Amino acid sequence: GIKTDEIISRLKDMPLLLAASKNDPYALSSSRFLENKAFLSSKVRKPVFIEAEKGHGVNIFLENGGESAVIIEKIINWMSRL
């Protein structure tokens, strides 16, 4: 598989957005680990982290009801600042 913890430090000059859900503990803890690792090596800014209630991957947008619109809005806002 991809060793993201090795790659993340190479992204130190790039804005970073991570997202995971509470009901996916492995993805959530892995994303938090990567968020901290990226922040420690970042020259840009602290990564943006979106924590959803449910879902894995694209299912975050399908399984969070009205909260899905908020998640999408956060992503669009982040992208608009790039």
Side-chain angles (χ1 to χ4, degrees):
I2 297 172
K3 303 232 181 236
T4 51
D5 58 326
E6 294 173 9
I7 294 170
I8 200 91
S9 60
R10 292 188 218 159
L11 302 175
K12 61 184 175 235
D13 298 325
M14 302 178 76
L16 183 64
L17 180 138
L18 298 161
S21 70
K22 293 177 183 177
N23 76 335
D24 188 347
Y26 179 75
L28 185 62
S29 65
S30 298
S31 296
R32 287 289 185 197
F33 170 81
L34 293 172
E35 175 192 30
N36 290 328
K37 187 165 180 113
F39 177 63
L40 293 175
S41 65
S42 178
K43 292 181 180 177
V44 181
R45 64 183 89 116
K46 185 176 189 318
V48 171
F49 189 85
I50 297 173
E51 186 174 310
E53 289 295 320
K54 300 183 263 181
H56 175 82
V58 297
N59 289 329
I60 286 174
F61 302 115
L62 302 172
E63 297 179 12
N64 285 286
E67 185 65 20
S68 294
V70 174
I71 294 168
I72 292 168
E73 184 176 340
K74 287 179 182 180
I75 293 170
I76 291 170
N77 286 338
W78 176 82
M79 291 174 67
S80 71
R81 295 188 307 256
L82 297 179

